[in-house]
Amino acid sequence: MKLKRINIILMSFLFATALLIFSGWSFINSSQFSKDLSVKLSKILKERADVEMSFEKVDFVAFPPRTILHNVQVQKTIENTADLNLNFKKVIIDFSLMNIFYQRLQLSSVELVDGNVKLLILDKTESKIDFKKLNLQNYFSIYQKNVFEKLPIFIETLKVADTKVSADKNEGYVKSLSLSARKKSLRVKSDVKDIVFCLDRNCIQKEFLNSFQINAHWYVEKLQLLDLKVAQGKSSISALGEVAGNGRELLKIKGQASGRINLEDYDSHIEKLSPELGKLHGLALIDSEIDGHLLMPIKNLKMELTDFKSDWIDLDL
């Protein structure tokens, strides 16, 4: 009889605990909780970083620990130089139990899914690049101070998927992007499609790329290029190697590049350089060794031209 009473008490306790957990979980996943959390987070971001953020719903997953924000909107004005607007259908935040032991809030990964990023440049001042002063170490120091050290929240890996990105009249579709941040390295892996970028201030002249893929590791004074692929029309180029420099001289480049160039893809460029050549047709297969400085990187170049035709010559090679 006594054992039966203990069982009833134990079952009642377990039922009450389960009911309490279920009620709490239901409240956390309710629309009212999402609304209150959105308001509080927006207030904190506005006060600390002058960023406006809102979202419609939040879901929590216990194992593995994960938070999912739905229909997220972010707005930020960058020191009167640019306006940034971000819209994502989902923002997935992953963290481990170890993250709570760090002095600064740290997240394992943040993934931005199915979105639209718009950057409006307010300051139209054109800045010229001095290739002789390019310094990988200086740029890496900027990353360390402003991203790795100063941000109130440190994100180990930032991912972007299926997102349209535009900066004024330049645009592209980010199929995938992964940025893995470490104190002494930054890893980048990206696949961008349908790229349009302006060649002049008023964007009268434009250039188009079908795809741009890169896989690179940046170590302070050295950029290691594991894979680079660029495609335009029927043309494509692949490259790998490394770029190194400390600012005391031009960046040094060493590696290999190969690909195929369909001359018809570059009719407009050829016509501007040499109008008397007319339209060119054919396929150029290239293979090059790269070992030199930034402005003269090619050491050896091999080219095979096939099916070459123009207004003034016809070579069936």
Side-chain angles (χ1 to χ4, degrees):
M1 193 73 173
K2 187 178 292 186
L3 182 62
K4 185 177 180 181
R5 183 177 297 176
I6 293 174
N7 288 337
I8 293 174
I9 295 173
L10 181 61
M11 290 296 294
S12 300
F13 173 76
L14 292 175
F15 177 76
T17 302
L19 183 62
L20 181 63
I21 293 174
F22 177 77
S23 301
W25 193 258
S26 298
F27 171 72
I28 286 175
N29 285 279
S30 68
S31 59
Q32 184 60 44
F33 179 81
S34 299
K35 184 178 179 181
D36 294 342
L37 183 61
S38 176
V39 171
K40 290 181 179 179
L41 282 177
S42 299
K43 184 178 179 181
I44 293 171
L45 288 172
K46 183 67 177 177
E47 292 174 351
R48 296 186 180 181
D50 196 26
V51 173
E52 295 183 5
M53 188 189 87
S54 64
F55 54 88
E56 292 182 1
K57 183 184 176 183
V58 59
D59 292 329
F60 294 93
V61 179
F63 300 101
R66 169 176 288 187
T67 301
I68 304 173
L69 306 179
H70 297 268
N71 296 326
V72 180
Q73 296 183 356
V74 178
Q75 293 182 327
K76 166 72 175 176
T77 298
I78 306 171
E79 297 180 356
N80 298 319
T81 59
D83 281 336
L84 180 63
N85 289 274
L86 301 93
N87 296 275
F88 291 96
K89 287 190 176 180
K90 282 197 301 184
V91 174
I92 303 171
I93 304 170
D94 289 325
F95 53 93
S96 67
L97 295 178
M98 291 298 297
N99 293 141
I100 64 176
F101 295 105
Y102 292 105
Q103 186 175 2
R104 179 175 55 162
L105 178 59
Q106 187 163 323
L107 304 174
S108 299
S109 72
V110 173
E111 184 174 5
L112 313 176
V113 182
D114 194 0
N116 197 328
V117 176
K118 291 184 179 180
L119 180 65
L120 178 62
I121 307 297
L122 303 176
D123 185 1
K124 302 293 184 180
T125 304
E126 293 186 2
S127 57
K128 294 183 179 180
I129 299 176
D130 188 349
F131 291 100
K132 294 181 179 180
K133 294 182 179 180
L134 287 177
N135 189 330
L136 291 179
Q137 186 175 2
N138 284 349
Y139 288 123
F140 198 88
S141 297
I142 294 173
Y143 150 73
Q144 283 183 317
K145 292 177 181 178
N146 294 283
V147 176
F148 194 85
E149 297 176 2
K150 283 189 177 181
L151 287 181
I153 301 175
F154 178 68
I155 302 171
E156 293 180 15
T157 302
L158 175 65
K159 301 177 182 178
V160 181
D162 300 324
T163 295
K164 183 178 179 181
V165 178
S166 63
D168 284 347
K169 296 180 181 179
N170 305 285
E171 60 183 45
Y173 181 79
V174 179
K175 184 65 179 174
S176 63
L177 169 66
S178 176
L179 296 172
S180 297
R182 302 293 184 270
K183 187 173 184 179
K184 295 184 178 181
S185 69
L186 178 65
R187 300 185 177 186
V188 182
K189 190 173 183 179
S190 180
D191 182 6
V192 185
K193 310 287 188 184
D194 303 327
I195 303 167
V196 180
F197 56 92
C198 301
L199 299 177
D200 56 74
R201 183 175 180 179
N202 297 317
C203 208
I204 297 174
Q205 295 179 320
K206 297 181 180 180
E207 193 63 79
F208 302 89
L209 291 177
N210 294 108
S211 68
F212 177 87
Q213 298 175 328
I214 187 171
N215 184 5
H217 294 179
W218 186 4
Y219 302 97
V220 189
E221 294 184 0
K222 181 176 71 175
L223 180 64
Q224 186 177 4
L225 192 62
L226 302 179
D227 188 25
L228 174 67
K229 295 179 181 177
V230 181
Q232 180 184 35
K234 298 179 181 179
S235 304
S236 62
I237 297 291
S238 299
L240 56 85
E242 66 178 43
V243 181
N246 51 24
R248 291 189 290 270
E249 55 186 356
L250 281 169
L251 294 177
K252 293 182 178 180
I253 304 177
K254 188 173 184 178
Q256 297 175 333
S258 61
R260 47 187 288 150
I261 298 177
N262 181 39
L263 298 180
E264 293 180 49
D265 292 334
Y266 301 93
D267 275 344
S268 59
H269 299 285
I270 296 172
E271 187 177 357
K272 290 175 184 177
L273 292 173
S274 184
E276 63 274 7
L277 289 178
K279 291 187 178 296
L280 301 181
H281 305 270
L283 183 66
L285 303 178
I286 64 170
D287 191 4
S288 65
E289 179 186 358
I290 300 171
D291 191 356
H293 59 73
L294 182 63
L295 300 180
M296 293 187 66
I298 297 177
K299 182 178 181 180
N300 294 312
L301 175 65
K302 295 180 181 179
M303 180 181 294
E304 180 183 342
L305 192 61
T306 61
D307 300 327
F308 180 75
K309 297 179 182 179
S310 74
D311 295 340
W312 50 273
I313 193 171
D314 189 347
L315 294 176
D316 189 8
L317 301 176

